[in-house]
Amino acid sequence: MSECLHLAEMPRPEPAPLADTCPECLADGTHPVQLRLCLSCGHVGCCDSSAGRHATGHFSSTGHPVMRTFEPGEAWRWCFVDGSIV
């Protein structure tokens, strides 16, 4: 893992999740493979293995750089800008 400037800029404590699942998948009637939590705003989106790739779409539309897994028992974070686990 590496430290990135974007991670240091994230709010502390991290934002509360805005949903329990990916709202875009719910609206589309699709099933998210894995969930991700935006550490800038709390948006919950699905991973790139899901049909909608909504976590990446959220980054593309907002520029919010860092997300973390929203899966039980997992604790890693990803910086979209740096393209690495942080």
Side-chain angles (χ1 to χ4, degrees), residues 2-84:
S2 65
E3 199 64 29
C4 74
L5 298 176
H6 308 100
L7 183 60
E9 296 170 355
M10 294 298 99
R12 306 251 198 265
E14 70 181 36
L18 298 177
D20 292 332
T21 191
C22 178
E24 291 92 346
C25 282
L26 241 116
D28 294 345
T30 59
H31 179 74
V33 174
Q34 296 235 332
L35 297 173
R36 310 292 183 237
L37 175 70
C38 175
L39 294 182
S40 293
C41 71
H43 177 269
V44 176
C46 60
C47 75
D48 286 356
S49 295
S50 299
R53 303 180 65 207
H54 295 119
T56 297
H58 178 74
F59 163 68
S60 296
S61 66
T62 65
H64 294 168
V66 183
M67 65 85 186
R68 74 162 172 84
T69 179
F70 196 52
E71 294 297 315
E74 296 181 3
W76 55 269
R77 298 167 294 198
W78 176 262
C79 179
F80 286 102
V81 176
D82 294 329
S84 65

